[in-house]
Amino acid sequence: MVLKGRVAVVTGGTAGLGRVIARTLTDAGATVVSASRGAPASGDRFPVDVTDRASVDALVSGVQDRYGGLDILVANAGISRPGPLVGLPVSQWDEVLATNLTGVLHCVQAAAPLLRASGAGRVVTVSSLLARRPVVGAGAYSVSKAAVETLTRVLAAELSGDGITVNAVAPGVVDEGMGRQILANERLWGRLRGSLASGRAATGDEVARAVLFLASPDSSYVNGHVLHVDGGLDY
Ligand SMILES: NC(=O)c1ccc[n+]([C@@H]2O[C@H](COP(=O)([O-])OP(=O)(O)OC[C@H]3O[C@@H](n4cnc5c(N)ncnc54)[C@H](OP(=O)(O)O)[C@@H]3O)[C@@H](O)[C@H]2O)c1
């Protein structure tokens, strides 16, 4: 029960990979709030739109009211809008960056006072293999994840004096959520599989256990790191 007594928020924790992460942190003893746009305001769920700072503020103050603090933020909510960049409607580009990049910043800014008060705050962001291996057809997504990795490093340096660590996991293809759409697309999966040494997708658990490490006291001296959870690349 490495997270006993800790309070965690997982954005996008109601579906796909986020749901597996939320379950894994719960199994490790944490009290976990799963937040997403469609989440009801009841039990361990809370509605939030990470693109809207006021909505994120309401989530954080709701968690403070109910649980008295916050120790762990997993900024997992993310979307993709496929299509070549040259023809991508700017509204879709904006949507991806607002969710995947600005959404992470909103969450960290809003949560920072509580994470500071925790004394051992943990932020885990969720990048992607596509940050370092961008894919034509997922350009906006790839760019957003590359930016998330830089955001993670800068925030790690800014917050280290407050006892907060900020790290990222960068999964390859996961057999959960949006990864299942890739697995169902023979052409795209064929291309991606060729760059994975394992030749297979990760299970949600394989990624969630890496998140658990970065969310736990075991990673106290790991900061500003991008942990690739992709089974290794095939060079
Ligand atoms: N699955 C993979 O293979 C894979 C690989 C690499 C990285 N990732 C990353 O892992 C994370 C989770 O992906 P997934 O595959 O689990 O995706 P998913 O199944 O589509 O789930 C996305 C989650 O994010 C929430 N969400 C989306 N927009 C939101 C917003 N504006 N505010 C709050 N919540 C929002 C969704 O709930 P609502 O619709 O209710 O808001 C949902 O719970 C993403 O950051 C993704 O980029 C996934």
Side-chain angles (χ1 to χ4, degrees):
M1 288 301 208
V2 71
L3 298 186
K4 193 168 172 13
R6 305 280 164 119
V7 177
V9 164
V10 180
T11 66
T14 55
L17 178 59
R19 188 161 46 198
V20 184
I21 293 170
R23 194 179 57 225
T24 300
L25 300 189
T26 302
D27 289 348
T31 298
V32 179
V33 175
S34 294
S36 72
R37 291 167 303 182
S42 65
D44 59 357
R45 305 226 156 167
F46 206 100
V48 73
D49 181 347
V50 297
T51 68
D52 175 1
R53 176 59 198 266
S55 170
V56 176
D57 285 342
L59 164 66
V60 170
S61 60
V63 170
Q64 181 172 29
D65 289 349
R66 192 178 300 171
Y67 301 109
L70 177 66
D71 307 287
I72 298 161
L73 166 68
V74 182
N76 162 82
I79 60 167
S80 183
R81 294 287 176 265
L85 281 183
V86 175
L88 193 73
V90 168
S91 59
Q92 293 188 18
W93 165 268
D94 287 344
E95 226 183 318
V96 171
L97 290 177
T99 307
N100 296 7
L101 181 59
T102 312
V104 175
L105 183 66
H106 283 157
C107 292
V108 175
Q109 287 183 337
L114 296 189
L115 295 172
R116 229 173 249 132
S118 153
R122 294 277 183 275
V123 178
V124 183
T125 62
V126 181
S127 179
S128 164
L129 168 65
L130 271 52
R132 57 180 175 145
R133 288 264 176 136
V135 166
V136 171
Y141 179 85
S142 302
V143 169
S144 75
K145 293 301 186 179
V148 162
E149 293 190 2
T150 298
L151 180 71
T152 299
R153 293 188 190 98
V154 175
L155 289 171
E158 287 189 12
L159 293 170
S160 68
D162 298 316
I164 301 169
T165 65
V166 188
N167 293 288
V169 292
V173 178
V174 189
D175 189 6
E176 291 289 346
M178 59 177 78
R180 290 197 173 151
Q181 290 156 31
I182 296 172
L183 292 169
N185 179 334
E186 240 166 69
R187 204 177 54 86
L188 182 55
W189 173 228
R191 263 169 66 204
L192 278 170
R193 181 167 38 197
S195 63
L196 297 176
S198 69
R200 68 166 178 89
T203 65
D205 283 335
E206 286 173 314
V207 179
R209 283 196 295 268
V211 173
L212 172 60
F213 168 66
L214 294 173
S216 79
D218 294 338
S219 61
S220 55
Y221 206 59
V222 180
N223 200 13
H225 186 70
V226 178
L227 182 50
H228 301 291
V229 191
D230 53 21
L233 297 189
D234 189 350
Y235 299 101

mmCIF file of all heavy atoms in Angstrom, residues 9 11 26 30 40 43 45 54 90 100 119 128 154 160 170 172 187 192 206 210 219 230:
data_model
loop_
_atom_site.group_PDB
_atom_site.id
_atom_site.type_symbol
_atom_site.label_atom_id
_atom_site.label_comp_id
_atom_site.label_asym_id
_atom_site.label_seq_id
_atom_site.Cartn_x
_atom_site.Cartn_y
_atom_site.Cartn_z
ATOM 1 N N VAL A 9 -5.631 12.802 -8.253
ATOM 2 C CA VAL A 9 -6.579 13.117 -9.323
ATOM 3 C C VAL A 9 -6.019 12.551 -10.617
ATOM 4 O O VAL A 9 -4.837 12.756 -10.922
ATOM 5 C CB VAL A 9 -6.778 14.646 -9.467
ATOM 6 C CG1 VAL A 9 -7.446 14.982 -10.793
ATOM 7 C CG2 VAL A 9 -7.611 15.192 -8.314
ATOM 8 N N THR A 11 -6.915 12.913 -14.503
ATOM 9 C CA THR A 11 -7.797 13.482 -15.533
ATOM 10 C C THR A 11 -7.954 12.438 -16.646
ATOM 11 O O THR A 11 -7.023 11.680 -16.945
ATOM 12 C CB THR A 11 -7.249 14.799 -16.120
ATOM 13 O OG1 THR A 11 -6.037 14.539 -16.828
ATOM 14 C CG2 THR A 11 -7.006 15.833 -15.020
ATOM 15 N N THR A 26 -5.584 3.266 -6.963
ATOM 16 C CA THR A 26 -6.526 2.873 -5.897
ATOM 17 C C THR A 26 -6.037 1.586 -5.229
ATOM 18 O O THR A 26 -6.003 1.481 -3.996
ATOM 19 C CB THR A 26 -7.945 2.653 -6.481
ATOM 20 O OG1 THR A 26 -8.363 3.859 -7.121
ATOM 21 C CG2 THR A 26 -8.945 2.294 -5.394
ATOM 22 N N ALA A 30 -4.256 4.656 -2.654
ATOM 23 C CA ALA A 30 -4.618 6.078 -2.773
ATOM 24 C C ALA A 30 -6.135 6.253 -2.837
ATOM 25 O O ALA A 30 -6.856 5.351 -3.251
ATOM 26 C CB ALA A 30 -3.988 6.666 -4.038
ATOM 27 N N PRO A 40 -19.852 12.165 -13.824
ATOM 28 C CA PRO A 40 -20.862 12.752 -12.946
ATOM 29 C C PRO A 40 -20.194 13.284 -11.683
ATOM 30 O O PRO A 40 -19.122 12.816 -11.307
ATOM 31 C CB PRO A 40 -21.749 11.549 -12.606
ATOM 32 C CG PRO A 40 -20.840 10.363 -12.736
ATOM 33 C CD PRO A 40 -19.810 10.701 -13.772
ATOM 34 N N GLY A 43 -19.545 10.343 -5.989
ATOM 35 C CA GLY A 43 -18.585 9.311 -5.604
ATOM 36 C C GLY A 43 -17.165 9.759 -5.878
ATOM 37 O O GLY A 43 -16.772 10.866 -5.518
ATOM 38 N N ARG A 45 -15.901 10.380 -8.733
ATOM 39 C CA ARG A 45 -15.836 11.010 -10.068
ATOM 40 C C ARG A 45 -16.133 12.495 -9.945
ATOM 41 O O ARG A 45 -16.838 12.920 -9.032
ATOM 42 C CB ARG A 45 -16.854 10.366 -10.989
ATOM 43 C CG ARG A 45 -16.648 8.854 -11.050
ATOM 44 C CD ARG A 45 -16.703 8.379 -12.441
ATOM 45 N NE ARG A 45 -15.973 7.133 -12.571
ATOM 46 C CZ ARG A 45 -16.054 6.359 -13.626
ATOM 47 N NH1 ARG A 45 -16.810 6.712 -14.637
ATOM 48 N NH2 ARG A 45 -15.340 5.264 -13.709
ATOM 49 N N ALA A 54 -11.343 27.666 -15.328
ATOM 50 C CA ALA A 54 -12.308 27.782 -14.227
ATOM 51 C C ALA A 54 -12.831 26.397 -13.836
ATOM 52 O O ALA A 54 -13.033 26.109 -12.635
ATOM 53 C CB ALA A 54 -13.465 28.695 -14.637
ATOM 54 N N VAL A 90 -7.728 24.669 -38.504
ATOM 55 C CA VAL A 90 -7.032 25.221 -37.330
ATOM 56 C C VAL A 90 -7.844 25.003 -36.060
ATOM 57 O O VAL A 90 -7.282 24.861 -34.968
ATOM 58 C CB VAL A 90 -6.695 26.713 -37.559
ATOM 59 C CG1 VAL A 90 -6.250 27.382 -36.271
ATOM 60 C CG2 VAL A 90 -5.581 26.834 -38.591
ATOM 61 N N ASN A 100 -4.375 18.717 -24.849
ATOM 62 C CA ASN A 100 -3.182 17.921 -24.530
ATOM 63 C C ASN A 100 -2.064 18.747 -23.894
ATOM 64 O O ASN A 100 -1.264 18.213 -23.127
ATOM 65 C CB ASN A 100 -2.628 17.270 -25.796
ATOM 66 C CG ASN A 100 -3.600 16.270 -26.400
ATOM 67 O OD1 ASN A 100 -4.728 16.146 -25.957
ATOM 68 N ND2 ASN A 100 -3.163 15.561 -27.426
ATOM 69 N N GLY A 119 3.873 18.448 0.549
ATOM 70 C CA GLY A 119 5.248 18.205 0.989
ATOM 71 C C GLY A 119 5.960 17.175 0.127
ATOM 72 O O GLY A 119 7.190 17.080 0.146
ATOM 73 N N SER A 128 3.734 10.414 -25.377
ATOM 74 C CA SER A 128 3.484 9.335 -26.348
ATOM 75 C C SER A 128 4.770 9.056 -27.121
ATOM 76 O O SER A 128 5.618 9.942 -27.288
ATOM 77 C CB SER A 128 2.398 9.782 -27.329
ATOM 78 O OG SER A 128 2.390 8.942 -28.471
ATOM 79 N N VAL A 154 10.370 21.652 -17.809
ATOM 80 C CA VAL A 154 10.409 23.016 -17.258
ATOM 81 C C VAL A 154 9.687 23.055 -15.909
ATOM 82 O O VAL A 154 10.186 23.626 -14.930
ATOM 83 C CB VAL A 154 9.801 24.035 -18.245
ATOM 84 C CG1 VAL A 154 9.749 25.420 -17.613
ATOM 85 C CG2 VAL A 154 10.607 24.078 -19.536
ATOM 86 N N SER A 160 10.761 21.972 -8.223
ATOM 87 C CA SER A 160 11.575 21.061 -7.406
ATOM 88 C C SER A 160 11.844 21.633 -6.012
ATOM 89 O O SER A 160 11.915 20.882 -5.038
ATOM 90 C CB SER A 160 12.880 20.714 -8.112
ATOM 91 O OG SER A 160 13.699 21.845 -8.172
ATOM 92 N N ALA A 170 5.753 7.939 -21.460
ATOM 93 C CA ALA A 170 5.524 8.025 -22.909
ATOM 94 C C ALA A 170 5.222 6.619 -23.429
ATOM 95 O O ALA A 170 6.135 5.873 -23.815
ATOM 96 C CB ALA A 170 6.744 8.617 -23.611
ATOM 97 N N GLY A 172 3.907 3.578 -25.922
ATOM 98 C CA GLY A 172 3.844 3.332 -27.363
ATOM 99 C C GLY A 172 2.386 3.173 -27.744
ATOM 100 O O GLY A 172 1.609 4.111 -27.619
ATOM 101 N N ARG A 187 -3.226 -0.725 -41.554
ATOM 102 C CA ARG A 187 -2.141 -0.002 -42.221
ATOM 103 C C ARG A 187 -1.304 0.771 -41.195
ATOM 104 O O ARG A 187 -0.079 0.686 -41.150
ATOM 105 C CB ARG A 187 -2.719 0.958 -43.271
ATOM 106 C CG ARG A 187 -1.760 1.317 -44.395
ATOM 107 C CD ARG A 187 -2.451 2.205 -45.410
ATOM 108 N NE ARG A 187 -3.041 3.390 -44.792
ATOM 109 C CZ ARG A 187 -2.378 4.526 -44.558
ATOM 110 N NH1 ARG A 187 -1.127 4.636 -44.917
ATOM 111 N NH2 ARG A 187 -2.972 5.555 -43.975
ATOM 112 N N LEU A 192 3.415 1.265 -37.340
ATOM 113 C CA LEU A 192 3.912 1.507 -35.983
ATOM 114 C C LEU A 192 4.577 0.268 -35.403
ATOM 115 O O LEU A 192 5.622 0.356 -34.750
ATOM 116 C CB LEU A 192 2.761 1.952 -35.072
ATOM 117 C CG LEU A 192 2.407 3.435 -35.152
ATOM 118 C CD1 LEU A 192 1.119 3.725 -34.398
ATOM 119 C CD2 LEU A 192 3.540 4.286 -34.576
ATOM 120 N N GLU A 206 0.709 -2.396 -17.863
ATOM 121 C CA GLU A 206 2.150 -2.178 -18.045
ATOM 122 C C GLU A 206 2.486 -0.691 -18.001
ATOM 123 O O GLU A 206 3.566 -0.298 -17.542
ATOM 124 C CB GLU A 206 2.623 -2.811 -19.359
ATOM 125 C CG GLU A 206 2.697 -4.332 -19.263
ATOM 126 C CD GLU A 206 3.008 -4.996 -20.598
ATOM 127 O OE1 GLU A 206 2.404 -4.635 -21.624
ATOM 128 O OE2 GLU A 206 3.863 -5.903 -20.615
ATOM 129 N N ALA A 210 4.110 1.939 -14.430
ATOM 130 C CA ALA A 210 5.136 2.985 -14.558
ATOM 131 C C ALA A 210 4.632 4.295 -13.953
ATOM 132 O O ALA A 210 5.384 5.019 -13.281
ATOM 133 C CB ALA A 210 5.503 3.181 -16.029
ATOM 134 N N SER A 219 10.055 7.113 -6.252
ATOM 135 C CA SER A 219 10.689 7.905 -7.318
ATOM 136 C C SER A 219 11.109 9.285 -6.816
ATOM 137 O O SER A 219 11.187 10.226 -7.596
ATOM 138 C CB SER A 219 9.735 8.050 -8.499
ATOM 139 O OG SER A 219 8.557 8.723 -8.081
ATOM 140 N N ASP A 230 7.355 1.700 -23.975
ATOM 141 C CA ASP A 230 6.974 1.309 -25.338
ATOM 142 C C ASP A 230 7.591 -0.026 -25.746
ATOM 143 O O ASP A 230 7.548 -0.403 -26.912
ATOM 144 C CB ASP A 230 7.370 2.410 -26.346
ATOM 145 C CG ASP A 230 8.848 2.798 -26.238
ATOM 146 O OD1 ASP A 230 9.641 1.983 -25.714
ATOM 147 O OD2 ASP A 230 9.206 3.909 -26.670
#
